[in-house]
Amino acid sequence: MADLARIRNFCVIAHVDHGKTTLSDRLLETTGTVPLREMREQLLDSMELEREHGITIKARAVRMAWRDQELNLIDTPGHVDFTYEVSRSLAACEGAVLLVDASQGIEAQTLANAYLAVEQGLEVIPVINKIDLPNIDLDVVREELRTTLGFRDDEILLASGKTGAGVQELLDAIVERIPAPTGDPDAPLRALIFDSHYDAYKGVVAHIRVVDGALAAGDRIRLMATERESDLLELGVFVPDARPIERLATGETGYVATGLKAVADCRVGDTLTLAARPAAKPLPGYRPAKPMVFAGFYPSNAEDYPALKDALEKLRLNDASLVYDPETSQALGFGFRAGFLGLLHLEIVQERLEREYDVGLIATSPSVEYRVITQKGAEVAIDNPALLPDPGTIVEIREPWMKVTIIVPTTHVGPVMEVAQNKRAALLDMSYVDPTRAMLKYEMLVAGSLVDALSIITHRDRAQLSGRVLVSKLRGLIPKQMFDVRIQAAIGGKVIASETVKAKRKDVLAKCYGGDITRKRKLLEKQKEGKKRMKMVGSVEIPQEAFLAVLRIGDET
């Protein structure tokens, strides 16, 4: 049985690019968890994309030893798209190291994650990082931590992830300030899943924190939200590589290889228990992943559709928050409508599909979900304009709104307010965090327009302008036909903008060197009749370049 008093579970939270992963490297180095000869930069960021973007995408858990104590570091994503994952990582800890860049001070995600940690009841240790940088003013950053988050001067530590300065003092503070875990070793097993990944040989590997009870190798487990059962293939801890062990006790952090074939069966936030002696109630806080942004993914080459389908299926094994359904577009052919946690999540998925699975992609402009109220009183969720009910049956279309807090340098308040106003945002409150930063609270629209093929959902105030820009763009991009092509933007049956692509002109009079004018007139009339018939039966193929250019219409309106 593990001695609870000797365990410390903590995480490091920070804004993107404030040195979280670099500091984690120094913690592993100082505690001797990773031998110096095996050390490399950004050790916990195993994905190439994480290294390039300077962000953490997947959470990691590492066991370290310091002054006869067992320290479990749970690395967390730093970007707002992964807020739920951050909240589950925090729920697995008793303390958090709050990292602030000495050169940049407190930024938006620092504040958001700090509030999350306080709400979870964690002991927060503030650390000013990158103290080795020249031309920094530590007094200003200290003042920010005092006024914004209420820390005392003697609580604030100084460190440098690059040089290792202050790392030993930080480890000592983790042992002294962060409380030991609590839990009932004799109760039925309850373990929180705070992350998971797919392994081709072991199935889904869940990263867990044991809250009550214990887990032994060979146990049969049950997942309480999905009600799936499985025999445990392997039990272990990360140091930082996976190391199998025989038992995980109350308060400890480790991993279980479940043998399950899809990450969707083993979701972040779910509670793991024993099939033979299940817990009565799951741990609180679980919620299914909810996509916020939608986009269409189409193969650049239509023949690559099966490859794209296969790539999405494989990627979903590792990313339960990715959802997708097949769809077709007149312009782009067969593809998929996919849902993401946010724009960064979309970008990461797109890059992984292109790099790891070698699929050439065309992604449509990102959109959000709308709620349509029909005359029959039904509420329909729409993330694709092609599925919009007949305009005559619609009572109203509801857009997603949210309350946002924007912290901005005082010199940029004007431009930020102008951008917010253009997005139809309503200012709720404005205050000053300190002499250099203002805090603006808004109610604002989540996103502007939703685009699929050549359909756009936009606000009625901008409908006329959007229609004009759209048809004007198409007029310049659709190649000329042998007949006039009429382009119209319409809301239901009402045309709001119109343009014409004039027909190619063949000189039918070129062979007439003389003769009566009536002969020339007859040839022209015959040409006119021919064009009229072609217009009735002809079809216009919209080139892909035209479609892609129209997707960027939102930037111009």
Side-chain angles (χ1 to χ4, degrees):
M1 185 182 294
D3 180 3
L4 287 175
R6 291 179 53 250
I7 299 172
R8 299 291 184 274
N9 295 313
F10 73 100
C11 59
V12 182
I13 55 178
H15 189 82
V16 174
D17 201 31
H18 276 211
K20 177 161 63 75
T21 306
T22 307
L23 184 69
S24 300
D25 288 348
R26 296 292 81 72
L27 292 173
L28 295 173
E29 198 176 86
T30 306
T31 56
T33 307
V34 179
L36 207 57
R37 65 179 181 278
E38 295 176 20
M39 198 66 206
R40 57 181 168 80
E41 285 188 12
Q42 296 176 286
L43 189 73
L44 295 186
D45 285 352
S46 52
M47 287 168 58
E48 188 183 342
L49 277 174
E50 292 182 309
R51 294 166 176 275
E52 283 185 19
H53 286 264
I55 56 172
T56 300
I57 298 165
K58 297 292 284 181
R60 295 284 302 273
V62 184
R63 180 179 288 192
M64 303 178 287
W66 182 253
R67 306 209 191 285
D68 204 31
Q69 304 284 318
E70 178 189 305
L71 307 185
N72 293 308
L73 162 62
I74 296 170
D75 196 20
T76 61
H79 197 275
V80 69
D81 282 11
F82 306 105
T83 299
Y84 172 64
E85 284 77 359
V86 172
S87 77
R88 294 304 84 208
S89 294
L90 294 179
C93 304
E94 281 74 39
V97 174
L98 179 68
L99 215 55
V100 178
D101 188 320
S103 63
Q104 298 179 64
I106 293 175
E107 294 197 75
Q109 210 55 41
T110 318
L111 211 56
N113 288 339
Y115 287 152
L116 273 176
V118 171
E119 284 168 16
Q120 300 261 14
L122 272 59
E123 178 66 36
V124 179
I125 301 174
V127 178
I128 300 175
N129 191 29
K130 303 188 183 181
I131 58 167
D132 57 293
L133 292 176
N135 306 320
I136 54 170
D137 193 335
L138 293 176
D139 290 335
V140 169
V141 185
R142 275 201 184 95
E143 180 62 25
E144 280 187 10
L145 284 165
R146 279 197 300 267
T147 55
T148 310
L149 293 167
F151 290 111
R152 301 190 310 271
D153 265 355
D154 59 349
E155 293 178 298
I156 301 168
L157 300 179
L158 304 178
S160 167
K162 190 173 181 181
T163 66
V167 173
Q168 290 195 13
E169 290 79 359
L170 173 58
L171 286 163
D172 289 339
I174 289 166
V175 172
E176 291 162 14
R177 297 193 208 173
I178 294 175
T182 56
D184 186 351
D186 302 318
L189 172 71
R190 289 199 303 170
L192 172 69
I193 299 171
F194 60 85
D195 193 27
S196 59
H197 71 269
Y198 182 76
D199 183 278
Y201 302 103
K202 301 172 186 173
V204 178
V205 178
H207 302 212
I208 63 167
R209 152 71 195 276
V210 180
V211 177
D212 294 319
L215 185 61
D219 280 343
R220 185 167 178 80
I221 56 170
R222 176 183 293 173
L223 296 150
M224 298 186 77
T226 57
E227 298 182 344
R228 296 296 300 269
E229 289 191 7
S230 172
D231 290 319
L232 205 62
L233 297 185
E234 186 177 297
L235 185 66
V237 293
F238 294 107
V239 287
D241 295 322
R243 187 182 76 197
I245 59 170
E246 287 300 308
R247 195 169 183 274
L248 272 179
T250 302
E252 292 192 306
T253 301
Y255 71 87
V256 292
T258 65
L260 296 170
K261 297 301 178 191
V263 171
D265 296 329
C266 187
R267 296 170 181 165
V268 171
D270 198 354
T271 301
L272 187 143
T273 189
L274 294 177
R277 191 190 172 206
K281 282 197 313 183
L283 295 163
Y286 168 74
R287 60 180 170 86
K290 183 184 179 185
M292 299 297 292
V293 171
F294 299 85
F297 277 173
Y298 295 87
S300 300
N301 186 339
E303 294 172 2
D304 291 339
Y305 177 78
L308 174 58
K309 184 180 179 184
D310 188 46
L312 280 167
E313 284 172 1
K314 287 177 180 172
L315 194 57
R316 178 108 201 260
L317 290 174
N318 265 313
D319 188 350
S321 54
L322 170 65
V323 295
Y324 62 90
D325 291 297
E327 74 167 5
T328 56
S329 160
Q330 284 184 334
L332 296 175
F334 292 100
F336 294 91
R337 190 87 186 158
F340 309 90
L341 298 173
L343 290 175
L344 177 77
H345 187 212
L346 186 158
E347 185 185 337
I348 294 300
V349 169
Q350 184 177 349
E351 287 197 37
R352 289 189 69 183
L353 286 170
E354 290 176 335
R355 288 189 189 187
E356 296 174 26
Y357 302 99
D358 199 26
V359 179
L361 273 186
I362 295 170
T364 65
S365 287
S367 62
V368 294
E369 186 179 85
Y370 292 78
R371 297 296 172 105
V372 177
I373 311 298
T374 65
Q375 288 176 344
K376 292 181 179 178
E379 184 177 299
V380 187
I382 298 289
D383 60 49
N384 185 339
L387 304 175
L388 202 66
D390 185 273
T393 67
I394 296 173
V395 177
E396 64 179 46
I397 300 177
R398 293 177 179 170
E399 304 168 295
W401 283 69
M402 59 168 57
K403 286 185 178 175
V404 299
T405 301
I406 302 169
I407 295 174
V408 60
T410 48
T411 51
H412 294 93
V413 168
V416 168
M417 290 182 85
E418 190 178 332
V419 169
Q421 205 167 339
N422 289 340
K423 297 292 181 185
R424 293 187 288 121
L427 181 64
L428 302 177
D429 183 45
M430 178 178 172
S431 57
Y432 286 89
V433 175
D434 56 48
T436 62
R437 291 169 196 242
M439 184 160 70
L440 309 172
K441 292 187 179 179
Y442 277 102
E443 274 189 346
M444 65 164 54
L445 191 60
V446 171
S449 61
L450 187 153
V451 183
D452 180 82
L454 300 180
S455 305
I456 297 175
I457 293 178
T458 188
H459 194 266
R460 63 166 60 89
D461 293 351
R462 293 174 179 265
Q464 196 92 29
L465 175 61
S466 296
R468 282 203 302 270
V469 172
L470 193 150
V471 295
S472 173
K473 238 181 198 307
L474 279 177
R475 183 190 170 201
L477 291 163
I478 291 177
K480 286 188 173 186
Q481 310 295 314
M482 294 302 293
F483 52 90
D484 285 1
V485 178
R486 192 82 165 153
I487 305 165
Q488 295 179 329
I491 301 171
K494 183 184 176 185
V495 176
I496 58 168
S498 180
E499 289 277 3
T500 302
V501 178
K502 288 293 182 184
K504 286 181 184 173
R505 191 121 186 247
K506 183 180 177 184
D507 190 358
V508 292
L509 304 180
K511 290 182 279 187
C512 291
Y513 292 106
D516 199 316
I517 187 68
T518 54
R519 184 182 171 212
K520 294 181 180 178
R521 193 173 292 136
K522 194 182 288 183
L523 282 170
L524 290 170
E525 287 294 328
K526 194 175 177 182
Q527 184 187 41
K528 189 176 176 183
E529 284 298 318
K531 287 186 182 294
K532 195 183 288 183
R533 282 198 304 275
M534 284 180 73
K535 189 171 183 178
M536 288 169 67
V537 297
S539 62
V540 180
E541 188 172 325
I542 301 172
Q544 200 162 284
E545 298 78 31
F547 173 78
L548 293 173
V550 170
L551 287 179
R552 289 161 181 80
I553 186 176
D555 300 336
E556 300 175 30
T557 58

